Structures are given as structure tokens and as C-alpha cells.
Amino acid sequence: MSSRQPTLDEVAELAGVSRGTVSRVLNNHPHVSKKALEAVRAAIDELGYVPSAAARSLATQRRGAVVLAISSDDPALFANQFFAEVIAGVNAVIEESDLELLLVMAATERGRDRLTRILQSRGADGVMLLALRENDPLAKVAEGGGIPVVYGGRPLERAPQHYIDADNRGGAREAAEYLIASGRRAIATITGPQDMHVGVSRYLGFREALALAGLPAHRVVHADFSEAGGAAAMEQLLDEHPDLDAVFVASDAMAASALRVLRERGRRVPEDVAVVGFNDIVTAQHTHPALTTVRQPIEALGREMTRMLLRLINDEKPTPLILPTHLVIRESA
Amino acid sequence: MSSRQPTLDEVAELAGVSRGTVSRVLNNHPHVSKKALEAVRAAIDELGYVPSAAARSLATQRRGAVVLAISSDDPALFANQFFAEVIAGVNAVIEESDLELLLVMAATERGRDRLTRILQSRGADGVMLLALRENDPLAKVAEGGGIPVVYGGRPLERAPQHYIDADNRGGAREAAEYLIASGRRAIATITGPQDMHVGVSRYLGFREALALAGLPAHRVVHADFSEAGGAAAMEQLLDEHPDLDAVFVASDAMAASALRVLRERGRRVPEDVAVVGFNDIVTAQHTHPALTTVRQPIEALGREMTRMLLRLINDEKPTPLILPTHLVIRESA
DNA sequence: CGCTATGTTGGGAGCGCTAACAGTGCAGGT
DNA sequence: ACCTGCACTGTTAGCGCTCCCAACATAGCG
């Protein structure tokens, strides 16, 4: 291995042209003669030349990288399949561009500082933000960076200029409608945190469906998307509303726990109580009974976030996008 | 927001010192007078100065970033909780350093090219490689980059110089020993791919335990870690060895499917057939019955890979590390 | 008191690239 | 023949930082 990489000047010398011409070839500028172009290409091949990213970004003032920032105070969320899928989607688009992907998990104060540093030092050309809670400081950090920002899932307080979201409300409505259509009347729900837009939307969709059917929607326990929270909520629901015959649970992780609690409490699923979850994580296929749930296109979310960011970087003006969800019917409802 | 970031020269001017001195302060060099140091710090605060990453790496010839490269031809693997956990571990260590994390998923040919480019353009100071199959071209790409390389899970063909691995063999042995200790005698196994080190090691540990107990180890079907593969393997096992009273399955994803097949085939778990999986993914807690499995410290794997890489970058000479695994007993065995 | 070790500083020379500018040669129009 | 316009090319400044060297104090030593 050569310890030193060849530079543009060496390519220029070997090709018998000036640095400027080599640079033009590298950046596909017009007005390069065929002869020069070929000579430069040959020289590049011969030397195995690869331009220095650092030098280029110093000269152009852009970085050739975007950051995917994930905010969470809950480490369990990281170990979540959700992020893995989003990342896969992001990567799929990134792979087609010639940008690099910087991953920043800003769980701690330190993490946020790091993100700030990266943004301020012009360390990226754009940011994608995931999983923001209300007034997440990350949002301010990102917006202060002076570079394009795309949100995945909109923050609660206000709709940001650029975001991609799943149709949480519609999905929840569909789930509840399905429960109603299959004859359930005492329908409960375990919601997500009400300080997250996704938690609120799913609750909203649920209530819409019940209201439309003239059904009461008072069987509600708010939880936090976690397994433990889901279990506790299910217990509470059973205590407060022993008559319930269906539960719409705002996340599969909580639904899986709810299933366990129902079994422990002697309720048969779906005979006594129907259960519908949300997200369609892989676990949903392996619960017993298999979980009926609302599928959201997580990978597509990642893909579309990235596409939107690339457009933004390219000075286009994309509009927010809501991705469709749909009900996956298995055994639990 | 100011559209232009302040530069080091402006800091120098405001502080009334030279560029060199500011640079010294920034990099914690000794031999800076207290007075100069304070003046510089004040100027930095006042201007909100953040050094330019690009300029710095051009000057220092290092990038301040490491890459985590994930190789897989199976997109499903991406959506795997495993990667999410590794990433969380990697991030935990990265967060303490002042490096950035570049994520490259090199699924396609294009992805590999990208990785090559990044490495050749000195786009990173080190690489971590995950999930390598036999003769994965990524390995050559990485080693050719002239920068430190750490493997997560060792490739089959040869032990690389620097790697972290889980004790797959020991974990498999422990699982089989547990099955034996609980009185099972007709023990089968569904293995992982035999062209991956992890697949081979788990099979090896299994055979060791059976040999030690004087039990035959001929009830074997090789599979590919996937759910579909696990189901097919379980069917085949049941067809070929209807007498089996226990199965050691080399991954939880396969084990979850095996559980379903067993139920469909009318075998009770664990009464008729005991099942032990491997990995302890979250799903393992939600299968019915809950899956007894071998837990490997995935997040620790990510952490230790990163620590090792940082040492390497720092010119230390770390030795390979094998992380312990342990059996988590639930209901299926 | 001269002389050396040591701490502290400023200034210059790059790092490898892009981009603006100023040519050069050559075609075509008058 | 002249001038204009165009395609192409070389040259020159930077981009914002680090690092080295020389310069200067200052202090300690004989």
C-alpha cells in the first residue's frame, strides 16, 4: 500500500495538463477537450487517484455529508427495530447519491453538544431529525445550523416546514373501525405519550372512529410506548373497565405486553378481548396469538426523508409528505 | 443566524494574539500563558467560534471520523435489532470521544464502491466491519485503506488481527448442556450458515456438549438464520427425526418460527420438545411459550469494537476480545 | 555577568482542492 | 485583412487550519 495518496497535481503532471483542467474533469465541467479529458482519465486510473474529501470541502464550503440525528432519552428506543428500518431506508437513498451518512444519537447532553458542533462547524449539508419530543432542544440546535432540516414524524408543538410522517391518525381510525365492524362495542385504548405527536394522532384517530359510530371512548389509559408501560396500562384498564371487549394499543411493544397480561388474567384473545397494535414490528408475527396491527412504511419513511433532504440541499422546495398506513389482520382481532 | 462562521483569524484578532496561539489553545498545547489562554477563550465565546472540521482535517491529515460498515446481501438483516443494538454500543463510546460516526451499509456493489472511496480519500481514521461472510470483498477493501480495521464477529477464513467476538461456542455448549441436564436425550439442532464463523462456532459448541455426554449428534439441519429457513428446517427435522425431544436453534428468529411449526405439528413446548434459541432478541420474550435462549452482549460488542478501534487509532496494540454469553431461562426449555 | 535552558510567541509555509480570471488559438463574419 | 466570439486552458488566489521555525523573554547556572 502506498502510504501517501496521489494528489491532483500529480495527476495534472502525468496527464500533461494544468490542475484546473483536472479539476474540471473531476467535476464534469463543460469545455474540456476530448483529448485532455482522456489524458486526465488515464492518469487518474494509473495513479489510483481519489480526491481528498477534506480539501474539496474546504474549498467548496460544503461537506458532502448529511446527518441523521436520533433523539431519545430512552436507551431502549435505540435497540428498536424502528430505527434500524429507518436507517435502512435512509441508506438506500444515500447509497445512490454521493453523500456520506453521519449518525448522531443525541441521547445525552454530550450528544446534543456533539450535534451542535457538527452543525456549527459546517460538518454537514443537511440534517434529518427523528423521534422528537415536545420542545426537544435538538430542534433548536438543528434549525440554528443554517442548513436544511427534515423531520421524521412531526414534533408536537408546530408543523415544521419540512417533514415526513406516517398517517398515524388514519391508521388508528382504520384499526378502531375494524374493531367496530367486527362487532366490538366496549373498546378501550392504550395510548402513547401525549407529548408526542404520534401519540396524540393515534389517540385522535381512535376517538374519531368511535365518535362516528356513536360509541363511548372513555376506556383510556395513557402509556409511554414501552413494554412495561403497556403491561401496567393493560392491568389498569382491566381493573377500571372489566367489561372491555377490545383494545387498540398504540404500539406493538405495548400490545405484546398487553397480550401477556390478558392471558395471565384469564381473558382469551380474540374471543373475549380483541387486540390491535400499531407499527407491525417483527415481534407482532410471533406473539401468541399473532398480532393484528397497523403497518406503517418505516423504511419508506427513511427513504422519503432522505429524498426530501436531498431536494432541499439542491435548493428545491418540497412539500410535507404523509405516508399511508394499513391494517394487517392476523389472529388477535 | 450569521451566514458566515467566524474563523480562527478573527478570534486571534479579537484576543490580540496570533493564529498560532489560538490554535495552541484549541488543541490544548502546553506553553500558553494564562493570560493568552483566557483572552482566547473569551474571544471564542464572544464570537461563538467553532473550528472548521474540513480545514482541520486538511491540515492534520486525519479525519476525525470512523466508519461502521455493515455488509449484507440480505436486506432483512438490516431491519434487525442486532444492528440497532450494535450501533447503540458504538455510539455510546463515540459519544465520549470527539469523533464522528460514518455509517456505510454496503449491501450493493455501489455500496462497496462508496466504502472504497471513503477509505481511499482518507475519509475516515478507522473502520469497523460487521457481519462478514466468507471472502467478503469488504474485508479486502477495508484492509487496503491503510487505516485500522476492527472486525465484529470474526470472518470464517482466518482470524483477523483485531476483532471482538461473542463466545458463540461456549454459549452453544451451555445451551446443550442445559438441555442434557434437564433430561433430554434426543437433541437436535438447527444451525446457522456454515460459511459464517458464528454459524460454525455454535454448531461446534453444540456437538462438544453432546459428545461430552456421550449423546449422538446426528439430528442436524443447516439453515440460514432467517425465519423462513428456521421453519423449513424445523419441518425437516420433525420429518427425519420424529423422536426428538429438544432442539437447539442457532438464532432466535429461527427459533420463533420453529416454535410455530412445533405448535402446528401438535408438539407441546416444553413438555414434548424443549427449545433453546440464541441471541435473546426482544421477540424472545413474547413468543409463546417465552423462549429460553443464549444472550450475547450485543451492545457491549459495539462498545468494545469502538474502544478497540480508538486504541488502534491511538497507536496502541489491543488484543482480540471474546465476550461472554449466558443462558436466559424462560419457558421453552 | 555572560551563557544556556526553558517558556512563550508570531509568522510563514503548506495541506489539496475549487473557482474566478485572463489569456490563447481558431473559427466565422464583414 | 480585421475584429468578434467561442472553446479551451493555465494561473492565481484563496478555503481555515496546523505545525515548524525563529525570535524573544526570562530565569537559572557557574
Side-chain angles (χ1 to χ4, degrees), chain A residues 2 65 70 72 82 96 116 127 147 177 188 216 238 265 279 294:
Chain A
S2 67
I70 298 178
S72 174
F82 178 79
E96 301 298 311
T116 313
V127 206
I147 56 179
E177 279 164 358
L238 247 17
R265 294 281 212 109
N279 285 350
V294 181

Side-chain angles (χ1 to χ4, degrees), chain A residues 8 23 27 49 51-52 56 59:
Chain A
L8 183 142
S23 177
N27 298 287
Y49 168 75
S52 148
R56 174 174 282 173

Side-chain angles (χ1 to χ4, degrees), chain A residues 126-144:
Chain A
V127 206
M128 293 178 275
L129 245 41
L130 218 50
L132 287 174
R133 296 202 154 231
E134 189 174 20
N135 291 321
D136 197 307
L138 222 51
K140 268 173 219 82
V141 166
E143 312 244 327

Side-chain angles (χ1 to χ4, degrees), chain A residues 17-102:
Chain A
V17 299
S18 73
R19 291 205 316 270
T21 301
V22 177
S23 177
R24 265 165 228 132
V25 172
L26 251 30
N27 298 287
N28 303 315
H29 279 285
H31 310 317
V32 176
S33 70
K34 204 175 160 207
K35 186 169 151 248
L37 192 141
E38 276 163 11
V40 170
R41 291 233 171 107
I44 286 176
D45 276 0
E46 186 176 334
L47 295 172
Y49 168 75
V50 179
S52 148
R56 174 174 282 173
S57 55
L58 180 58
T60 59
Q61 299 290 62
R62 60 201 122 80
R63 173 56 178 309
V66 296
V67 3
L68 173 60
I70 298 178
S71 162
S72 174
D73 34 14
D74 178 7
L77 265 185
F78 284 168
N80 190 309
Q81 180 203 344
F82 178 79
F83 292 112
E85 264 188 73
V86 172
I87 291 175
V90 168
N91 185 69
V93 177
I94 288 292
E95 203 164 68
E96 301 298 311
S97 75
D98 40 47
L99 291 171
E100 290 167 9
L101 177 62
L102 242 35

Side-chain angles (χ1 to χ4, degrees), chain A residues 179-187 215 245-246 270-274 332-333:
Chain A
L179 254 11
I180 294 165
S182 49
R184 312 286 170 165
R185 288 298 173 266
I187 307 177
L215 257 26
D245 62 7
E271 294 82 352
D272 302 332
V273 179
S332 69

Side-chain angles (χ1 to χ4, degrees), chain B residues 180-264:
Chain B
I180 295 165
S182 48
R184 311 286 170 165
R185 287 300 173 265
I187 306 177
T189 186
I190 297 174
T191 77
Q194 295 300 298
D195 65 344
M196 289 176 76
H197 190 268
V198 38
V200 173
S201 313
R202 290 179 188 176
Y203 183 32
L204 205 60
F206 170 81
R207 285 189 311 191
E208 273 175 21
L210 265 61
L212 228 60
L215 257 28
H218 63 283
R219 298 178 185 83
V220 179
V221 173
H222 298 300
D224 62 354
F225 282 146
S226 80
E227 293 176 20
M234 192 66 242
E235 299 272 10
Q236 188 183 339
L237 227 32
L238 247 17
D239 290 342
E240 294 175 1
H241 310 282
D243 64 321
L244 59 80
D245 62 7
V247 194
F248 165 62
V249 190
S251 85
D252 285 355
M254 295 197 295
S257 301
L259 245 27
R260 183 172 48 71
V261 170
L262 285 166
R263 189 165 52 232
E264 287 165 8

